[in-house]
Amino acid sequence: MSKESAEETVDESTPGASAVERPQRQPIRSALAFIGEVLLAILVALVVTSLLRVYVFQVFRVPSGSMEQTLELQDRIAAVRIADWQRGDVVVFEDANNWVGSQPGTTNPVIKTLEKLKLLPDSTQGYLVKRVIGTSGDKVTCCDQQGRISVNGQPLDEDYLYKLPDGSSVSPSDSPFDVTVPEGHIFVLGDHRNRSGDSRLHICRGEPSNGFIPTEAIVGPVKRVMLPISRVHALNTPAAFADVPPPSANPPKDPILGADTCPG
C-alpha cells in the first residue's frame, strides 16, 4: 500500500472518530447554553427589580410598634412611589428631620451589594412610617369634649387606633395641641399613640418645624402588607377623613402653634 493510500485510509477513519467525539461535546455546549440563559434571566430580573424599587414601589420592614395594630413589628410593607397620597393614608418617609438619628448601616457584604444594586433600601438612610393627619394649611387640634382630634374643625372618629385588651382604643392624644401645618409639609401620628414618637413630640423639641415632615421626603403611601403571609392585606384611606373640609386659608410659610401646644 502506498503512502498516499495509507493517508486516504486515515482520512476515511476521521469521520468515525468525530462521530464518537461529537456526543461528548454536545452536552457541554448544552450545559453552557443553559447556564448562559439562567444568568441572563437573573440579570434581567435584577434590572427589573431595581427599576421597580426606584420608580414604582419599595418594600420596607416595620421597625417598631408605633403603628400597631395596623402594622405589626417586622411586617414587610410596600410603599408605592407612583401613587398619590392624602390625609389619612399611612406613608413611608425619609428621616429628613433626623427623628431617629444617624444609622450605622449594614456590615453584611451581600446586603451591601444588594443596596448598591438598588435592590434594597440604603441602610444608612433612616425611614419612618406614620399616618398623615394634616396636610399643608390644615389646622389640627386635640382634643374636643369627646377627646377626639379635629382637622379643620372636623372631628375624627379614629377606629384604626390601637385596641387595648378590654377592647377600648388608646386615647387619640394624651397631650393637647393646636397646630397649623406649614406649606409643603405634613403632620403625622402613629396609630399606637402612646408608643409613637411623632409630630406631637417633635414640635416641642427644638424648632417647631422639626415636627412637620417635608412632602419631598415622602417615599409613598403604604398600599399593602406583603409579609408574613398570615397578615397580607391592603391599606385604604379611612372613612374618618372623608368629611374633612379644605383649609380655610392659604398655608403659612412657618408652622403656627396655639397657646395650649407644648405646655410647660
Side-chain angles (χ1 to χ4, degrees):
M1 184 183 293
S2 67
K3 181 177 179 181
E4 182 177 349
S5 299
E7 288 176 350
E8 289 176 356
T9 303
V10 172
D11 289 341
E12 289 172 356
S13 66
T14 301
S18 299
V20 173
E21 292 176 357
R22 189 172 296 120
Q24 295 176 351
R25 293 172 182 170
Q26 191 65 31
I28 295 175
R29 291 174 181 172
S30 299
L32 291 175
F34 175 75
I35 292 172
E37 291 174 1
V38 170
L39 291 176
L40 179 60
I42 292 173
L43 179 61
V44 171
L46 290 174
V47 171
V48 171
T49 301
S50 179
L51 291 173
L52 288 174
R53 195 192 72 79
V54 172
Y55 297 107
V56 182
F57 71 90
Q58 189 167 346
V59 176
F60 294 89
R61 176 180 59 84
V62 177
S64 73
S66 69
M67 283 297 296
E68 292 174 329
Q69 291 137 331
T70 303
L71 304 176
E72 298 288 354
L73 187 66
Q74 305 301 326
D75 277 356
R76 265 56 175 185
I77 56 177
V80 182
R81 292 182 178 274
I82 59 175
D84 293 330
W85 53 268
Q86 58 185 316
R87 292 187 204 92
D89 285 347
V90 176
V91 298
V92 172
F93 54 92
E94 295 178 0
D95 187 20
N97 294 349
N98 202 33
W99 283 8
V100 296
S102 59
Q103 302 297 300
T106 184
T107 57
N108 186 311
V110 176
I111 294 178
K112 279 185 176 180
T113 300
L114 293 175
E115 288 179 355
K116 289 180 179 179
L117 293 173
K118 297 189 180 298
L119 298 175
L120 289 177
D122 184 358
S123 58
T124 63
Q125 170 65 60
Y127 293 90
L128 298 99
V129 56
K130 305 288 182 187
R131 189 179 296 277
V132 179
I133 303 298
T135 60
S136 296
D138 284 345
K139 184 177 178 63
V140 186
T141 60
C142 187
C143 296
D144 67 5
Q145 292 184 348
Q146 298 182 42
R148 298 174 298 182
I149 290 174
S150 296
V151 181
N152 300 331
Q154 175 64 42
L156 301 177
D157 292 316
E158 301 182 274
D159 58 1
Y160 46 77
L161 293 180
Y162 180 85
K163 300 296 190 296
L164 298 169
D166 63 4
S168 63
S169 298
V170 296
S171 171
S173 182
D174 292 331
S175 56
F177 56 83
D178 179 350
V179 303
T180 301
V181 183
E183 183 178 9
H185 290 75
I186 57 174
F187 183 88
V188 297
L189 299 175
D191 288 356
H192 195 168
R193 295 287 159 82
N194 52 4
R195 287 193 60 187
S196 178
D198 45 41
S199 288
R200 298 168 300 167
L201 173 67
H202 293 283
I203 58 176
C204 299
R205 285 187 174 181
E207 292 295 326
S209 59
N210 194 47
F212 301 90
I213 304 303
T215 54
E216 61 264 25
I218 298 174
V219 175
V222 177
K223 292 297 186 181
R224 183 169 292 273
V225 174
M226 307 292 287
L227 290 172
I229 297 297
S230 60
R231 284 190 41 76
V232 171
H233 65 277
L235 273 70
N236 300 304
T237 307
F241 291 83
D243 295 328
V244 174
S248 59
N250 292 330
K253 180 179 178 181
D254 298 311
I256 300 174
L257 274 57
D260 294 334
T261 307
C262 305

